[in-house]
Amino acid sequence: QVQLMESGGGSEQVGRSLRLSCVASGFTDRDYYMAWFRQAPGKEREGVACIARDDTTKYADSVKGRFTIFQDSAERTLYLQMDSLKLEDTGMYYCAAQRRSLYTSAWHCSRSSSDYTFWGQGTQVTVSA
């Protein structure tokens, strides 16, 4: 049973930082890619960043230069370092994972929610002025 457990959310002021963590369990190997998504009230879920098996990363334009996604494969933990927080970063943040198929390159990851099978329960991030 694959499980993803996020932590690290909370309330922070504009310009400050937060680090989110996501611990993955139940995978029999490390052959998967992962991502962080967020959803603000009344808005669609947005792919914030993703990371491939070989640590290739992709970011949404709205967070490029401020957020960093990285993983500790040995610990099976995904991170999202969020710096220079803005009000619009407020939302529920979700960790997602997808097993890489035989036809998927090691450098592939996706910021599309439809590409992911496994999801965490989410952690709330609230940014205030």
Side-chain angles (χ1 to χ4, degrees):
Q1 181 78 11
V2 174
Q3 289 188 328
L4 303 174
M5 180 66 70
E6 303 98 334
S7 62
S11 298
E12 194 51 87
Q13 293 182 320
V14 169
R16 304 294 293 270
S17 299
L18 278 173
R19 177 177 289 188
L20 306 183
S21 301
C22 171
V23 177
S25 62
F27 284 104
T28 57
D29 55 39
R30 300 174 186 174
D31 209 3
Y32 49 90
Y33 53 90
M34 301 185 73
W36 285 99
F37 290 81
R38 68 184 179 189
Q39 189 164 19
K43 293 190 176 181
E44 293 187 356
R45 189 168 294 191
E46 173 191 22
V48 174
C50 69
I51 187 165
R53 177 66 182 89
D54 71 349
D55 290 332
T56 298
T57 57
K58 297 178 185 177
Y59 295 91
D61 288 342
S62 58
V63 306
K64 208 170 286 184
R66 300 189 298 119
F67 289 12
T68 303
I69 186 172
F70 59 101
Q71 61 188 343
D72 183 333
S73 297
E75 296 296 326
R76 303 204 178 198
T77 303
L78 178 72
Y79 298 94
L80 184 68
Q81 177 66 39
M82 305 187 295
D83 298 322
S84 303
L85 286 166
K86 300 180 178 180
L87 293 174
E88 52 264 40
D89 293 324
T90 294
M92 185 69 79
Y93 282 70
Y94 299 91
C95 168
Q98 179 62 37
R99 182 175 301 282
R100 191 169 67 93
S101 75
L102 290 174
Y103 308 100
T104 304
S105 302
W107 45 260
H108 173 80
C109 72
S110 170
R111 291 193 296 111
S112 174
S113 59
S114 61
D115 288 341
Y116 289 87
T117 301
F118 305 106
W119 292 85
Q121 294 298 309
T123 185
Q124 177 68 36
V125 171
T126 302
V127 183
S128 59

